[in-house]
Amino acid sequence: MFADSAKIFIKSGKGGDGHVSFRRELYVPAGGPDGGDGGRGGDIIFEVDKGLNTLTDFRHVRKYVAQSGEEGGKKRCHGKDGEDLIIKVPEGTVIKDDETGKVIADMSGTNIREVILKGGRGGKGNMNYATATMQAPKYAQPGQDAKELWVRLELKVIADVGLVGFPNVGKSTILSRVSNARPKIANYHFTTINPNLGVVDLDGNKGFVMADIPGLIEGASEGVGLGHAFLKHIERTKVLIHVVDAASTEGRDPVDDIKKINAELEAYNPDLLKRPQVIAANKIDAIYEEEGKESPLDVLRKEFEPEGIRVFPISAVSGKGLKELLYHVHELLQTVDQNPVIFEREFFPDEYLDNPEDPFTIERAPDGAFEIWGPRVEKMMGYTNLDSEKGFNFFQKFLKDSGIIDQLKEMGITEGDTVRIDYLEFEFYE
């Protein structure tokens, strides 16, 4: 089965902790602090590999973790930075946040390398905290936590032209006739389970890329069958060719088929119907015209050409009519934006996972104490040494700058009242 979607877990490296140590050498009776900084954690980086064309590898390995930074050392030694983890993906891969479905990055066009999660910064060693009044600081800063995320990878083929239609109408045969593609062809439904790409070369003109989009069925936009897996590949195309069985060899109505396909396209993404369309009326060599009955080609033309959709009678088997169809498609391509269809970024992991405006909550406990909790408060508690005077002053400044003191006053706190934060409990004084 063609792998065009995968869910994986990614995690950047944690920053190394800062080190606490003091210079201890002979003849140096009062050596100062010399604890070094921790190393930076490794980033999670996605990179395009032109040699890949499926997401199969991600079905076997679902967890990707970058290396953490090393702890700082004595004698001002800096901890080693963690190695970045580079994840190779095919061109056209869209990376989405699994929870919200929002786009993080589209690995297409010029975007061939993207840092998705940054590693944690290394903590500062105690050598950074020495001052005139605090000459022997006994604390260091922990490294910043790693960031982690579940992401969904979706491969959307990059093609200028998409062949769409119900199963077994001849799309694969057309692609094999007009391009360098060699798709497998057989006479049964759902022969094609993955998109095939081929380059169409025209004499004296720049070629274009054509994709044989697997056969659609009714309800595809609602996920029936492999509907969503097929429809996603149409999103990048600029021109759509409806391939129909004009001879109705299997009893299908070509007009009804086109209307049903367009209904599925509109239900999935209404913008798809704004793109130029053309009809390839295939299997004309099998048409049996009855006297007094309108030709199926005339029926198609009467129905769709007033809407500006040209009908081209072709035979994919013999090649008849294909040249005229391809030159018309080339002309349509000149009328549309030549830039590749790139999905805009909607989700920024680092901002989402490390928001400086993380909320906090204050509530009165049954014993009357003011209890404070929240992500940012807990992070602050994690890297502040409250046993030192400087550390406690730093923490008090944080409470003021973050608006916690103001909110406590609004709730009626008075001097001597108890404040509780995680394991810490103290009396409130201004």
Side-chain angles (χ1 to χ4, degrees), residues 360-362 370 403-413:
F360 59 83
T361 302
I362 305 176
F370 290 81
I404 292 176
I405 297 293
D406 290 339
Q407 188 167 329
L408 285 169
K409 289 180 178 178
E410 289 176 10
M411 295 176 68
I413 196 169

Side-chain angles (χ1 to χ4, degrees), residues 1 190 215-230:
M1 177 65 188
F190 292 106
L216 297 174
I217 60 175
E218 285 184 86
S221 59
E222 299 169 7
V224 175
L226 298 174
H228 278 164
F230 293 165

Side-chain angles (χ1 to χ4, degrees), residues 175 178-181 197-201 207-210:
L175 187 67
V178 303
S179 74
N180 57 355
L197 291 177
V199 177
V200 179
D201 290 318
F208 55 84
V209 179
M210 180 182 285

Side-chain angles (χ1 to χ4, degrees), residues 177-194:
R177 266 271 178 186
V178 303
S179 74
N180 57 355
R182 292 294 175 264
K184 294 179 181 179
I185 301 170
N187 191 30
Y188 52 87
H189 293 317
F190 292 106
T191 304
T192 307
I193 59 174
N194 60 279

Side-chain angles (χ1 to χ4, degrees), residues 142-143 145 354-355 358-361 371-386 395 398-399 402 404 420-424:
D145 288 339
D354 192 21
N355 186 355
D358 282 336
F360 59 83
T361 302
E371 293 187 336
I372 306 171
W373 71 87
R376 195 177 180 205
V377 177
E378 291 163 9
K379 288 178 188 175
M380 179 61 67
M381 294 289 288
Y383 64 76
T384 304
N385 181 7
L386 298 174
F395 188 65
F398 161 74
L399 295 178
S402 62
I404 292 176
R420 202 174 287 134
I421 305 176
D422 197 18
Y423 62 85
L424 177 68

